[in-house]
């Protein structure tokens, strides 16, 4: 293999991708596996995780599963411990698990606000902390947090979601400040508007799709597989001197007025 291409190889590495039972998480799992990584699918539902893993194994990938809820600290710590003990070291962590809630800010339900914080922010903190303790002991590791264009931009109806994704951008910088000298590279990917179940209501809204295609320089919705290149880069030795950054994969949306 060409020396430059080996920089992007994930052979011999193991990646845990939270919330990887569908959508962006599943696409990223497949992309990292395609670059040579052994992957661990995470979902709260064991049957769903097992079915996804079986499908990926049929494609020839090395796949395990870890069933836990990112919002449950005890579950997280126990699951990470089992992976490290029974499967092997987690070299790459992708914090993908997330939810969306939409409502006008003045009438936003407190329970929805708390749910967003628990999944989108607390979950990233808890899983990262549990995994990083093992990475720090080894002196190496890659953490990739999934942000959003809402890490940079706001839009009516999703202010609390934007707040959680803005926090992810700063938490990524904080992880860099804490752990870079100890061998961990922490970065974030900020997807633009992609066709996923999370965005189904918007994809099916002709007025919104028309607005988005006009607003985005690329002129279209993103496809989830288009996030894989960024993930492979940030998970691989090619990014060993990249730390604390948020990479926007958004068709140019955040670059224009």
């Amino acid at each position: 293999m060409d020396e430059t291409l080996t920089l992007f190889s994930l052979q011999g590495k193991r990646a845990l991708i939270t919330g990887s039972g569908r959508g962006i998480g599943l696409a990223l799992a497949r992309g990292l596996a395609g670059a040579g990584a052994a992957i661990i699918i995470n979902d709260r539902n064991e049957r769903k995780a097992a079915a996804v893993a079986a499908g990926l194994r049929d494609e020839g990938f090395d796949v395990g599963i870890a069933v836990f809820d990112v919002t449950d600290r005890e579950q997280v710590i126990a699951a990470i411990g089992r992976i490290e003990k029974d499967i092997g070291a987690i070299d790459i962590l992708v914090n993908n698990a997330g939810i969306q809630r939409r409502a006008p800010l003045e009438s936003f339900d407190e329970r929805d606000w708390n749910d967003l914080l628990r999944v989108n922010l607390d979950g990233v903190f808890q899983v990262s902390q549990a995994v990083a303790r093992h990475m720090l002991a080894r002196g190496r590791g890659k953490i990739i947090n999934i942000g959003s264009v809402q890490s940079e931009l706001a839009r009516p109806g999703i202010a609390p979601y934007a707040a959680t994704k803005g926090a992810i951008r700063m938490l990524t910088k904080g992880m860099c400040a804490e752990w870079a000298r100890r061998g961990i590279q922490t970065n974030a990917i900020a997807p633009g508007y992609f066709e996923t179940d999370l965005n189904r209501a918007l994809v099916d809204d002709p007025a919104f799709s028309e607005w988005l295609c006009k607003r985005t320089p690329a002129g279209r919705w993103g496809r989830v597989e288009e996030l894989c290149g960024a993930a492979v880069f940030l998970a691989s030795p090619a990014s060993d001197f990249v730390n604390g950054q948020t990479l926007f994969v958004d068709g140019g949306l955040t670059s224009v007025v």
Side-chain angles (χ1 to χ4, degrees), residues 193 205-222 250-257:
Y193 285 90
D205 182 341
F208 184 87
S209 284
E210 182 181 4
W211 171 85
L212 177 68
C213 291
K214 288 180 179 178
R215 175 69 174 78
T216 304
R220 61 176 176 83
W221 286 85
D250 63 1
L253 179 65
T254 54
S255 297
V256 298
V257 176

Side-chain angles (χ1 to χ4, degrees), residues 243-254:
N243 222 325
Q245 302 303 306
T246 297
L247 176 56
F248 286 83
V249 184
D250 63 1
L253 179 65
T254 54

Side-chain angles (χ1 to χ4, degrees), residues 34-227:
I39 58 173
I40 301 172
I41 295 294
N42 160 253
D43 197 90
R44 292 179 300 176
N45 184 301
E46 184 171 5
R47 182 176 297 179
K48 181 179 179 182
V52 169
L56 290 169
R57 290 190 194 106
D58 287 344
E59 296 178 38
F61 299 132
D62 183 346
V63 188
I65 66 171
V67 179
F68 63 88
D69 183 337
V70 298
T71 70
D72 187 318
R73 185 171 182 80
E74 291 185 1
Q75 281 191 33
V76 168
I77 292 172
I80 300 307
R82 284 195 298 271
I83 294 168
E84 289 277 339
K85 179 178 181 291
D86 299 334
I87 300 177
I90 300 169
D91 303 292
I92 302 154
L93 167 64
V94 181
N95 284 306
N96 168 77
I99 61 172
Q100 173 66 288
R101 298 286 187 271
R102 296 182 173 89
L105 188 56
E106 67 273 15
S107 58
F108 206 89
D109 189 90
E110 183 181 7
R111 289 171 297 182
D112 287 337
W113 167 268
N114 289 331
D115 284 346
L116 282 166
L117 288 175
R118 288 175 63 243
V119 177
N120 294 1
L121 189 55
D122 293 353
V124 173
F125 164 71
Q126 290 176 166
V127 178
S128 295
Q129 187 183 64
V131 172
R133 286 170 175 161
H134 295 277
M135 289 179 170
L136 290 168
R138 291 188 287 268
R140 66 182 187 279
K142 301 273 189 174
I143 297 176
I144 303 170
N145 298 323
I146 303 301
S148 167
V149 288
Q150 268 72 52
S151 296
E152 177 72 15
L153 303 174
R155 192 168 60 78
I158 57 168
Y161 175 82
T164 65
K165 291 303 184 178
I168 287 299
R169 190 173 188 183
M170 289 309 301
L171 182 57
T172 299
K173 290 177 181 288
M175 290 178 180
C176 167
E178 294 271 351
W179 297 334
R181 289 183 179 273
R182 301 168 70 185
I184 297 177
Q185 290 86 53
T186 306
N187 294 285
I189 297 173
Y193 285 90
F194 284 74
E195 292 191 52
T196 66
D197 291 342
L198 200 65
N199 282 329
R200 179 51 50 194
L202 299 179
V203 174
D204 293 340
D205 182 341
F208 184 87
S209 284
E210 182 181 4
W211 171 85
L212 177 68
C213 291
K214 288 180 179 178
R215 175 69 174 78
T216 304
R220 61 176 176 83
W221 286 85
R223 298 183 292 271
V224 290
E225 60 270 19
E226 293 176 307
L227 292 164

